[in-house]
Amino acid sequence: MISAVGIKRLLYAATSVVTADLTGTSLEKIITAATEIDNVHGETWQVEETEASRTPYTNQLTGKTYREDLKMGEVKINFTIGAYDYKTKADLMGGLVIETGSDGNKKATGWKRADGKVNIHKCLIALTEDNVWLVFPKASISARQANTDKAIGLAVSATQLEPGITGVSSEYWFDDSEVTPAG
């Protein structure tokens, strides 16, 4: 039995890392190459799924529903990063990292916002406190600056999308015991 309580680890990667149906072994390979988020502020971590909406169509002769349209609800992961670097800010909000120094000794010293609309897609991976891995192979990332207890955090909303790859689901859950190296 699982409860999927809280958050222990949170990572993201390029969507291109998912090329086929995920297994525990393939997820382990993705995790080793993913970027780890080291800070989730306060109690901001949450997974939400909105209720599906149904539109019934009634038979005028009988007054009964004879068919309906179903629109599935959105699935989202929301969290705020309380401490981050400029690369993470650029990865999740768009824009560019400002670097100073010579070629062999460049240092990230700032960030500048992108012009116009920014579409960001990432593979989002989370490990709950009770050792359940949750994966969105493709998520639309919407991040913004938000006040978090006297600091500027990155409020992130990751909306699950269809991956567009045959055989790949839009969401996976794995017991940690299944996420092991091959061999």
Side-chain angles (χ1 to χ4, degrees), residues 7-20:
I7 183 74
K8 187 187 312 188
R9 290 183 71 190
L10 183 58
L11 308 100
Y12 64 90
T15 57
S16 60
V17 299
V18 179
T19 58

Side-chain angles (χ1 to χ4, degrees), residues 10-30:
L10 183 58
L11 308 100
Y12 64 90
T15 57
S16 60
V17 299
V18 179
T19 58
D21 190 25
L22 287 180
T23 64
T25 301
S26 64
L27 177 56
E28 196 276 336
K29 289 178 187 174
I30 292 169

Side-chain angles (χ1 to χ4, degrees), residues 75-134:
V75 181
K76 292 184 178 188
I77 293 175
N78 301 309
F79 56 94
T80 299
I81 305 171
Y84 47 90
D85 58 18
Y86 292 121
K87 180 185 179 311
T88 301
K89 186 174 179 73
D91 285 352
L92 300 178
M93 284 187 66
L96 297 171
V97 173
I98 298 169
E99 294 181 318
T100 57
S102 61
D103 285 341
N105 197 19
K106 285 192 176 188
K107 180 180 176 186
T109 57
W111 168 84
K112 64 180 179 179
R113 186 178 293 274
D115 291 334
K117 183 171 67 170
V118 178
N119 288 316
I120 298 173
H121 298 128
K122 298 288 182 196
C123 172
L124 195 66
I125 307 159
L127 177 62
T128 66
E129 291 173 0
D130 55 347
N131 297 317
V132 176
W133 287 98
L134 167 61

Side-chain angles (χ1 to χ4, degrees), residues 2 9 11 13 19 39 47 53 55 58 61 64 80 86 88 94 97 103 122 128-129 131 136 147 158-159 165 174:
I2 63 166
R9 290 183 71 190
L11 308 100
T19 58
N39 176 291
V47 178
S53 64
T55 304
T58 306
L61 298 173
K64 296 181 181 180
T80 299
Y86 292 121
T88 301
V97 173
D103 285 341
K122 298 288 182 196
T128 66
E129 291 173 0
N131 297 317
F136 288 2
N147 185 2
T159 304
I165 302 167
F174 291 100

